[in-house]
Amino acid sequence: MKITIVGTGYVGLVSGACLADVGNDVLCLDVDPDKIRILESGDIPIHEPGLLEIVRRNARVGRLAFTTDIERAVRHGTVQFIAVGTPPDEDGSADLQYVLAAARNIGRCMDDYRVVVDKSTVPVGTGDKVRAAIGEELAARGAEIDYAVVSNPEFLKEGAAVEDFMRPDRIIVGAGDERAIALMREIYAPFQRNRGKLLVMDLKSAELTKYAANAMLATRISFMNELANLAETLGADIELVRQGIGSDPRIGWHFLYAGCGYGGSCFPKDVKALARTGREAGHDLRVLRAVEEANDAQKRRLVDKITARFGEKLDGLRFALWGLAFKPDTDDMREAPSRVIIGELLRRGASITAYDPVAMTEARRIFGDRHPGLAYAVRPMEAALGADALIIVTEWKEFRSPDFDVIRTALRQPLIFDGRNMYDPAAMRRYGIEYHGMGRH
């Protein structure tokens, strides 16, 4: 099938590459010529395990192509996936200007039946706005061409997006047009051969499902972080509590790890947007307000531990910081706890030597290559050498089992602040390391 993907960001590029990999003829459109140049040169503008190989393989055989030509892209695909950004406005609402601009372009250039699929995370009611925008453009042309609008939200985890697309646990399709539903079933048939995973529902229910899923996961994270803080005060161990509640099948094991807060492009934005949607509909989603407030506070929790140990003034102290990305297997630093922690420590006079396996370039873009007080190491132990303490912010695999004897001797004093509870407190005591986890003892 001929498919057009509008937007070559995280969602668009993963979707386009995976759809091409099962035999579709995919054309990816982006208005940013620099992105297209990168893709046409055989590289990709994001870090995502396994994606580069799929892009190169399908581009080489002609199933995946890239363009900045809007008319060419609209004429190419019977199905047009809109996968552009929906950044938050100052009031927390999702900015739909790029989604609606894509819809208008489709209305201006389409010459035959089109299925327009909202792949971007959008507020409830966006499908109606997309339908209206296309209709207005067709009316301005005096053209009568059939089209359908579908909501098909993505559920991709950064760092595992290819696997999530290729082996989805569910595929949500919000639509009322039977022809469009049939085409969506055809597109996703290769991804559900062992069992049916496609759920058809109305447009607004599909749009709400995406926000509800991310808000639920964010809620679990903030709840566990609040419990960890309480456990710390009471002398309980949040890891034992996690095992006790996770073994209940009604609760399960996912998203029960305490840490230094969630970040990324999805959870913070979607929690804000869903809360805003609620307010606009006359509903104060009080739980979401608490989730957001708890997360904002949790990002500063490590700083609170550091200042409790060293005092509010940190002049003359240098800290090693392992992990800059908001989670492992990505270079994404949007809303990352590391940004808050670095900012707070620098403001108090400390200096930082940071290390991350893949996010160093992004960190330099955010903070600048020569930010006063902030340096970068090419290896984890290089960052630790001579530092007053080690701070763990991202749970990369390579941090799971370091040589603690080397860490103890490398640090000026054997002291670890672990924002991801990667290490066992009892083991740290045996190594002679002073250890501060999140809700551990």
Side-chain angles (χ1 to χ4, degrees):
M1 188 184 300
K2 288 190 173 183
I3 296 171
T4 293
I5 307 287
V6 183
T8 60
Y10 178 77
V11 173
L13 187 56
V14 171
S15 300
C18 291
L19 289 169
D21 209 40
V22 295
N24 293 292
D25 180 0
V26 178
L27 179 61
C28 293
L29 167 71
D30 205 293
V31 297
D32 184 346
D34 291 334
K35 278 189 179 180
I36 297 302
R37 273 195 295 271
I38 290 170
L39 290 163
E40 288 184 329
S41 71
D43 206 349
I44 58 176
I46 60 174
H47 176 84
E48 181 60 39
L51 180 59
L52 179 60
E53 295 77 9
I54 296 176
V55 169
R56 286 177 174 173
R57 179 169 66 243
N58 286 281
R60 186 169 58 248
V61 298
R63 287 194 300 264
L64 182 63
F66 308 98
T67 187
T68 58
D69 187 333
I70 293 171
E71 185 171 354
R72 177 190 169 198
V74 175
R75 297 287 174 89
H76 175 82
T78 301
V79 179
Q80 305 264 321
F81 283 87
I82 298 178
V84 297
T86 54
D89 278 339
E90 291 183 5
D91 62 0
S93 62
D95 185 350
L96 297 178
Q97 63 171 310
Y98 305 113
V99 171
L100 296 179
R104 284 190 289 271
N105 286 334
I106 293 169
R108 273 194 288 269
C109 300
M110 60 188 283
D111 58 355
D112 201 353
Y113 176 77
R114 291 290 180 266
V115 176
V116 181
V117 182
D118 279 330
K119 198 71 176 166
S120 303
T121 301
V122 294
V124 177
T126 299
D128 294 337
K129 294 178 180 179
V130 167
R131 185 182 290 110
I134 296 171
E136 288 167 6
E137 293 297 332
L138 289 173
R141 293 168 50 195
E144 293 186 6
I145 304 172
D146 285 342
Y147 65 98
V149 175
V150 172
S151 174
N152 175 222
E154 53 85 16
F155 297 98
L156 307 178
K157 299 185 296 292
E158 290 194 44
V162 171
E163 177 72 13
D164 286 346
F165 198 100
M166 292 296 197
R167 295 176 177 83
D169 46 24
R170 82 282 207 196
I171 302 161
I172 303 295
V173 172
D177 183 286
E178 290 302 323
R179 184 178 175 187
I181 293 170
L183 284 170
M184 296 300 289
R185 289 189 186 279
E186 183 179 342
I187 287 172
Y188 282 111
F191 305 101
Q192 48 178 337
R193 296 188 59 160
N194 61 338
R195 63 178 178 88
K197 302 174 184 178
L198 193 143
L199 304 175
V200 177
M201 58 186 70
D202 63 274
L203 199 61
K204 290 183 177 179
S205 295
E207 291 169 338
L208 183 56
T209 295
K210 169 61 177 179
Y211 275 133
N214 278 353
M216 175 65 80
L217 297 175
T219 299
R220 287 170 70 101
I221 293 171
S222 281
F223 179 69
M224 287 304 293
N225 286 337
E226 292 280 77
L227 279 185
N229 299 340
L230 176 61
E232 206 166 281
T233 302
L234 297 177
D237 189 327
I238 193 61
E239 174 60 18
L240 300 177
V241 174
R242 181 189 71 83
Q243 294 174 26
I245 65 176
S247 57
D248 185 333
R250 297 170 301 174
I251 297 173
W253 296 102
H254 296 296
F255 286 81
L256 290 186
Y257 289 94
C260 51
Y262 61 76
S265 63
C266 295
F267 286 6
K269 174 175 67 72
D270 293 352
V271 167
K272 285 184 173 69
L274 184 55
R276 171 75 180 186
T277 298
R279 289 194 298 273
E280 290 175 348
H283 293 273
D284 180 13
L285 301 179
R286 295 180 293 273
V287 170
L288 293 189
R289 278 196 284 113
V291 167
E292 191 174 5
E293 289 170 8
N295 191 60
D296 289 342
Q298 197 69 15
K299 289 181 180 181
R300 290 169 171 79
R301 185 74 176 171
L302 275 179
V303 178
D304 293 340
K305 289 175 177 288
I306 291 167
T307 55
R309 174 65 170 73
F310 289 103
E312 286 292 328
K313 298 289 187 181
L314 301 176
D315 300 84
L317 297 175
R318 182 174 69 82
F319 296 96
L321 187 144
W322 287 2
L324 292 163
F326 86 95
K327 62 178 288 189
D329 296 318
T330 181
D331 62 351
D332 194 343
M333 287 183 62
R334 284 173 288 184
E335 303 279 348
S338 65
R339 299 177 66 161
V340 174
I341 294 165
I342 289 170
E344 290 290 325
L345 294 180
L346 292 177
R347 187 174 65 81
R348 287 170 167 81
S351 62
I352 298 164
T353 303
Y355 169 80
D356 188 284
V358 301
M360 307 276 265
T361 300
E362 179 66 5
R364 288 187 173 96
R365 186 190 68 80
I366 292 168
F367 292 109
D369 202 24
R370 292 180 173 84
H371 193 289
L374 177 60
Y376 303 96
V378 297
R379 291 179 297 276
M381 289 304 176
E382 179 186 323
L385 187 63
D388 291 281
L390 169 61
I391 305 168
I392 311 289
V393 184
T394 312
E395 63 274 33
W396 286 94
K397 285 182 180 179
E398 67 179 81
F399 302 158
R400 288 181 182 176
S401 187
D403 189 326
F404 292 108
D405 288 324
V406 172
I407 289 177
R408 188 184 65 250
T409 56
L411 293 171
R412 190 173 297 171
Q413 48 189 314
L415 177 55
I416 294 177
F417 295 93
D418 185 354
R420 297 298 177 186
N421 287 343
M422 296 193 73
Y423 309 135
D424 177 51
M428 294 301 96
R429 287 191 289 271
R430 289 195 298 272
Y431 279 107
I433 295 173
E434 181 184 339
Y435 180 77
H436 298 269
M438 310 298 279
R440 304 298 309 275
H441 68 74

